[in-house]
Amino acid sequence: MPELPEVERARQTLHTHCINREITCVRAADDPLVFPEKRAHALAFALKGRRVLDTGRRGTLFWLALSDNLLLLLQLGMASDVHISDSAQRYRKPADDDNDIGAWPPLYTALEIEFGRALAVAVSDPRRLGRIRVFAGALNECPIVQRLGFDPLDDNPRPAEFSALLRKRRSPVKAVLLRQTFIAGVASWMADEALYQAAVHPAQPACTLSDTQARLLIELLRKVCRAAVDAEDEGSLPSAWLVHRRWPAHGRNSVVPAMPDGQRIEFVAVAGRMAAFVPDVQVLVPSDVAPSDTEDNDEDEKHLPPPPPATLRKPTVRRRFRLNRDTTE
């Protein structure tokens, strides 16, 4: 699935182009996997005539805040993308293959929104792993948003609050950082990088971190996420970072990964995920705490709203999406 940097850049693109524009036309694929709650014609009816007031994001979920208290929620799937065109009406030619550059709408478009003749936005989803929903109500009432933890870029807790949250959790600290109900959008490599720079072992029980370690960790998480958003690609990140060397070696002649100063990199499974760490820097401190991967002692989750109900609509099996024209045009 797309990571936080890709989603944040998509949100920034939509914010730049769509703010204060009115939706004049909506075309959506009649696909219950991508649209689990509304059929195509119902979605078009709900969105047409609304004005984009703001955009937002928490973790890898982002949204358009529309007039009349409506939210368009977008969760991108693997290979999903957001496309912008200022000439969609003048050069409207549906794409026939992946190499049909300049055609509009793009191949595998799931949702197309027009803002007059000047601008069009399309969301493509070839693997149908994304989810697009609408919610009528305030953001703080949306169950999908409220089930997510804090965002590492936009709403970090204070260091003292973060330390108090860690003290409630006996799971390995990397498992906690990847838990979406605790902190939303942290990718595995981001957690590894922040833990390396904070000199914290990924398998260290979260409740054993000191206040100083917790403060440093939350600051480094924000730093790593911000650098990832600002970087053009992984190669643009600082050369001394662990991310460039965190992949295990394979094959007889493979070179054992190491940091530029020669410190070796090792790998350990933490809560079912691979974690890269530098043992000379990140030392596992012995403790009497019995680690728990199930978070049985996490009292905060008892107050989370229930997840949205699953739909039982029969999925389609088409490979390509067929856009339904907006009958309200």
Side-chain angles (χ1 to χ4, degrees):
M1 297 297 178
E3 296 179 347
L4 187 149
E6 289 81 10
V7 174
E8 173 61 14
R9 286 193 285 268
R11 185 206 64 80
Q12 291 175 359
T13 299
L14 292 178
H15 190 93
T16 300
H17 291 86
C18 302
I19 289 297
N20 294 324
R21 290 182 179 270
E22 182 180 337
I23 298 173
T24 58
C25 180
V26 177
R27 299 180 180 91
D30 194 12
D31 190 323
L33 292 181
V34 180
F35 302 96
E37 296 176 3
K38 279 188 178 295
R39 300 298 296 266
H41 65 277
L43 183 77
F45 183 81
L47 297 182
K48 187 175 180 180
R50 311 270 184 168
R51 187 174 294 273
V52 179
L53 304 179
D54 199 3
T55 63
R57 180 193 53 77
R58 185 176 297 180
T60 56
L61 175 74
F62 68 113
W63 57 83
L64 299 181
L66 307 177
S67 55
D68 298 325
N69 217 19
L70 191 72
L71 295 174
L72 176 62
L73 304 163
L74 299 106
Q75 185 87 46
L76 298 180
M78 187 179 298
S80 296
D81 204 357
V82 175
H83 310 264
I84 301 289
S85 175
D86 58 1
S87 57
Q89 289 299 313
R90 288 176 291 168
Y91 305 103
R92 189 170 187 85
K93 174 184 176 296
D96 294 325
D97 55 56
D98 294 328
N99 298 320
D100 201 347
I101 300 175
W104 189 270
L107 194 64
Y108 304 118
T109 292
L111 176 66
E112 181 187 3
I113 300 176
E114 292 181 3
F115 300 88
R117 298 183 63 85
L119 178 70
V121 174
V123 180
S124 61
D125 190 359
R127 299 193 179 187
R128 305 168 65 202
L129 296 175
R131 298 294 180 265
I132 301 176
R133 297 178 170 91
V134 293
F135 177 77
L139 182 64
N140 59 7
E141 299 173 348
C142 180
I144 297 176
V145 177
Q146 294 308 308
R147 286 189 63 83
L148 297 173
F150 64 87
D151 187 89
L153 277 180
D154 297 335
D155 57 358
N156 277 345
R158 296 177 181 272
E161 181 184 356
F162 183 68
S163 181
L165 291 172
L166 290 181
R167 283 197 294 269
K168 297 178 180 179
R169 292 161 169 83
R170 295 181 290 121
S171 291
V173 62
K174 178 170 181 179
V176 173
L177 296 181
L178 297 182
R179 194 174 181 86
Q180 295 299 300
T181 54
F182 177 71
I183 177 171
V186 174
S188 182
W189 75 265
M190 295 178 183
D192 283 350
E193 190 65 53
L195 290 170
Y196 164 66
Q197 296 186 28
V200 175
H201 194 284
Q204 190 72 36
C207 61
T208 63
L209 268 64
S210 66
D211 291 343
T212 301
Q213 288 176 311
R215 176 185 58 79
L216 182 60
L217 182 58
I218 192 63
E219 292 175 354
L220 288 171
L221 274 175
R222 186 183 185 93
K223 169 190 170 183
V224 170
C225 292
R226 175 52 61 188
V229 170
D230 295 339
E232 294 182 0
D233 51 43
E234 186 177 293
S236 304
L237 295 171
S239 59
W241 278 21
L242 175 67
V243 63
H244 302 293
R245 306 164 183 87
R246 65 182 295 270
W247 307 109
H250 297 285
R252 179 178 301 177
N253 299 321
S254 299
V255 178
V256 177
M259 300 301 292
D261 57 4
Q263 293 177 323
R264 74 184 189 281
I265 299 173
E266 294 186 359
F267 304 89
V268 63
V270 177
R273 301 290 295 275
M274 186 271 290
F277 70 103
V278 180
D280 292 340
V281 176
Q282 300 163 266
V283 179
L284 181 60
V285 180
S287 69
D288 297 330
V289 176
S292 169
D293 290 338
T294 58
E295 290 290 325
D296 292 336
N297 61 330
D298 189 356
E299 295 295 331
D300 294 342
E301 294 197 0
K302 295 180 180 179
H303 306 289
L304 291 174
T311 58
L312 299 178
R313 292 167 52 195
K314 183 179 179 180
T316 59
V317 295
R318 295 190 305 271
R319 176 173 171 79
R320 294 191 181 185
F321 294 132
R322 178 179 300 169
L323 293 179
N324 289 349
R325 291 193 58 82
D326 178 9
T327 56
T328 61
E329 289 185 79

